[in-house]
Amino acid sequence: WAKAIAWTLAAWFLLTTFVIQAFRIPSPSMERTLLVGDVLFVNKFLFGAKIPFVDARTPALREPRRGDIVVFKLPRDNKTDYIKRLIGLPGDRIQMIANRLHINGQPVDDVVVSQSQIEDVFGPRPVTRLRETLPGGKSFSIQDFGPGGEVDDTGVYIVPAGHYFMMGDNRDNSVDSRY
């Protein structure tokens, strides 16, 4: 039994370190795409898996692309996992103007899909669901509680080399790169 348990633990360690890992969605920042409590399985080989106990990674199968959903840790907090959508690539200029995303000076296409009202901890609120299409054609649903949000109008963010700009699909309920 000890040998079987040792092999099982070794296989589990290798699998979760280098191949695939499950993450539970902790917050509503990606709603309606991912809901609180959903489980997401992440392919760790895709962008290169971190090798434990050393400051190195396995080779990446491809670079992250605009529109990918990514699990990451903040540079200043290497403990908490965040799950967001990749919006800006190194060198991009990102800005919110009148509640609309702009990338490199161009407004991102969005189409209203539905408008309704939801009841949450803030009481009843109107919510708009939109279909947003990023440059390059990646399209997905976002949710917004209307104009007047804290980061509905921002300055221009320039994405530094080696970094990415991340946003939640639930735009007014996501602590993301705009903060």
Side-chain angles (χ1 to χ4, degrees):
W1 285 103
K3 195 178 206 181
I5 291 171
W7 278 109
T8 301
L9 288 174
W12 173 81
F13 176 77
L14 290 173
L15 185 69
T16 60
T17 301
F18 296 109
V19 182
I20 194 167
Q21 185 174 349
F23 292 90
R24 184 170 304 279
I25 306 302
S27 75
S29 70
M30 287 297 291
E31 284 183 352
R32 301 281 322 152
T33 306
L34 300 170
L35 303 177
V36 174
D38 283 355
V39 176
L40 175 72
F41 289 94
V42 173
N43 174 352
K44 292 181 125 186
F45 268 122
L46 195 59
F47 304 141
K50 185 178 182 314
I51 300 172
F53 313 115
V54 295
D55 190 23
R57 300 185 82 75
T58 62
L61 297 178
R62 71 168 175 84
E63 290 297 312
R65 297 179 189 144
R66 193 185 319 275
D68 285 345
I69 294 176
V70 180
V71 177
F72 61 97
K73 294 182 187 320
L74 294 180
R76 69 175 183 263
D77 170 18
N78 201 24
K79 295 179 181 134
T80 307
D81 294 314
Y82 290 83
I83 301 168
K84 306 286 183 199
R85 189 173 301 276
L86 193 156
I87 298 295
L89 301 169
D92 281 347
R93 294 180 338 275
I94 309 296
Q95 184 174 20
M96 293 295 293
I97 301 173
N99 204 30
R100 188 162 182 194
L101 175 63
H102 289 68
I103 299 177
N104 296 322
Q106 297 298 312
V108 171
D109 291 334
D110 61 18
V111 176
V112 174
V113 174
S114 69
Q115 293 181 317
S116 60
Q117 193 163 350
I118 64 166
E119 178 105 19
D120 61 12
V121 296
F122 302 106
R125 300 193 289 166
V127 63
T128 302
R129 293 195 174 87
L130 303 104
R131 189 90 188 145
E132 189 171 81
T133 304
L134 297 174
K138 181 76 174 190
S139 184
F140 51 91
S141 294
I142 64 169
Q143 178 170 286
D144 193 89
F145 294 107
E150 186 177 347
V151 286
D152 285 346
D153 285 288
T154 68
V156 175
Y157 302 98
I158 299 173
V159 183
H163 292 80
Y164 299 96
F165 193 92
M166 311 299 284
M167 290 178 75
D169 290 352
N170 189 353
R171 293 291 163 81
D172 290 328
N173 196 4
S174 177
V175 176
D176 51 37
S177 294
R178 295 173 291 173
Y179 291 92

